[in-house]
Amino acid sequence: MLLLICSMLLGRSKTMIAQEVSSFNNSNSLSEQQQISNACKQLDQALLDADTAVLKTILHQQLSLDHSNGLIENREDLLQHVSSGFLKYKEIVDDGFTEVRLVKDIATVRRNIKVSGSLNGVDFDVTLKVLEVWLYLDKEWNLLSAKCETTIND
C-alpha cells in the first residue's frame, strides 16, 4: 500500500519505487538515516520543551497527527495545544527505530516510544507504536504525518 501511495505521489511505477526503497543501503543512507534520527530527536525535545519556534521549523504545513486516543490534529492545532498547555509532554523515551525506509525525499519511520504528560489536565502514561512520514524539503526533514497506536504492556 505504501508503495502505491508513494508511486502516485512521485509519478513512478511500483517497480521503480521498490528499486528506490531497496537502494536504502547505499553509501548516503547512513547520513540520511542519521538526519532522520536527529529530526525525530529534535521533534521529541521540542514537544517536551513546548518550543513552538522549533516545532514550526519541523512540522510540515499540511501535518496530520493521529493520536492514540483518537485526537486528530493539524499543524495549527498542535502548536496551539502545546503553547497553551492543553497538551503537555513530561517525558518521551524513544526505544528506537523498528524500520526506516527512504524513497527519494520521503522517509517512513516506525518507532516505539514511551510518553507521559497531560491532556487538558488529565495525566497519561502510554507506550506507543508510531508511524511517521517525513518529507525532505528545503534541506530539512519535515514531519508530514504521524499515526500513534497504544501497545499492551506486559
Side-chain angles (χ1 to χ4, degrees), residues 116-131:
S116 63
S118 63
L119 179 65
N120 199 20
V122 178
D123 288 344
F124 63 83
D125 186 5
V126 293
T127 301
L128 301 171
K129 289 183 180 182
V130 181
L131 171 60

Side-chain angles (χ1 to χ4, degrees), residues 46-47 50-61 63 65 73-87:
L47 290 170
D51 189 339
T52 56
V54 172
L55 288 171
K56 286 177 184 178
T57 67
I58 299 171
L59 303 176
H60 191 274
Q61 291 290 334
L63 174 72
L65 177 57
E73 294 177 307
N74 61 29
R75 183 178 188 262
E76 294 307 314
D77 293 337
L78 180 59
L79 292 170
Q80 172 61 31
H81 290 159
V82 168
S83 67
S84 69
F86 178 80
L87 177 58

Side-chain angles (χ1 to χ4, degrees), residues 2 6 14 26 30 43-44 56 72 74 77 82-84 86-87 90 95 97 109 111-112 125 134-135 142 144 152-153:
L2 178 60
C6 290
K14 287 186 199 178
N26 68 22
L30 184 59
L43 171 66
D44 294 349
K56 286 177 184 178
I72 299 174
N74 61 29
D77 293 337
V82 168
S83 67
S84 69
F86 178 80
L87 177 58
K90 297 175 187 168
D95 287 341
F97 296 139
V109 176
R111 60 188 183 128
N112 298 319
D125 186 5
W134 292 82
L135 179 63
N142 287 223
L144 178 62
I152 298 171
N153 293 327

Side-chain angles (χ1 to χ4, degrees), residues 86-105:
F86 178 80
L87 177 58
K88 294 181 184 178
Y89 290 94
K90 297 175 187 168
E91 184 176 39
I92 301 174
V93 177
D94 188 338
D95 287 341
F97 296 139
T98 58
E99 179 181 82
V100 176
R101 291 186 181 222
L102 292 170
V103 180
K104 297 293 183 187
D105 58 354

Side-chain angles (χ1 to χ4, degrees), residues 22 25 36-37 40 47 61 91 113:
S22 67
N25 292 324
I36 294 165
S37 176
C40 291
L47 290 170
Q61 291 290 334
E91 184 176 39
I113 58 175

